[in-house]
Amino acid sequence: MVEFHVFYKKGALPPVPELNRAMSSRGFAIELQGDAPPHERGEDLGLTVDGKPVAVSVSLTDAQAPEWAALRAAAADAVDGAARLSVLKNCDVRLTLKADGDDARWARDVARNVGLLACGAYENLSASRFINFGR
């Protein structure tokens, strides 16, 4: 199971139809089903690619959760700690997307797109990659 994180401010996220349009700009029809934003979905992201379901699970950690303090503590010790702390200060949600096999590609793409479109941040733990789109 590969895990990706996206940090953003809930109010900065475009509506789902705009997310779908932006995510589909590279030739694949990538869609989040329904109108609920990613942070209001259950465990299944409800993702399809070219009309076929893609298994991506989703979970939410918001700024009010006890885990947020742990994220801040870990960020302070990271090499890019200042950037991470800035993201945690300016965002109010961390969305975690998980998938296996080929589906992980789509989980990664959705996480990167949501982070970019909401001017938030994207994190790929397995590749030790953190991108702050909000700078």
Side-chain angles (χ1 to χ4, degrees):
M1 185 77 60
V2 184
E3 185 173 302
F4 306 95
H5 297 150
V6 58
F7 297 85
Y8 59 93
K9 190 170 239 7
K10 290 177 190 173
L13 189 65
V16 170
E18 289 181 34
L19 286 173
N20 289 343
R21 190 171 32 259
M23 290 189 298
S24 295
S25 66
R26 294 186 302 158
F28 295 96
I30 301 171
E31 287 189 70
L32 298 175
Q33 301 301 304
D35 291 327
H39 57 269
E40 292 180 4
R41 293 173 182 254
E43 291 182 15
D44 179 21
L45 186 59
L47 180 67
T48 63
V49 176
D50 292 337
K52 297 179 178 126
V54 176
V56 176
S57 67
V58 62
S59 62
L60 171 74
T61 303
D62 67 27
Q64 307 307 312
E67 297 89 0
W68 206 260
L71 290 173
R72 291 179 76 89
D77 294 334
V79 172
D80 53 358
R84 288 175 182 270
L85 286 171
S86 174
V87 165
L88 291 170
K89 178 181 175 189
N90 294 309
C91 296
D92 59 6
V93 65
R94 178 184 76 172
L95 202 65
T96 300
L97 304 177
K98 295 180 185 178
D100 283 321
D102 293 338
D103 292 346
R105 167 190 179 195
W106 301 111
R108 181 197 66 218
D109 283 359
V110 169
R112 288 172 59 184
N113 277 290
V114 169
L116 175 63
L117 294 168
C119 295
Y122 159 80
E123 181 178 38
N124 179 338
L125 296 175
S126 62
S128 299
R129 183 152 174 121
F130 184 82
I131 303 171
N132 181 358
F133 296 112
R135 306 190 247 189

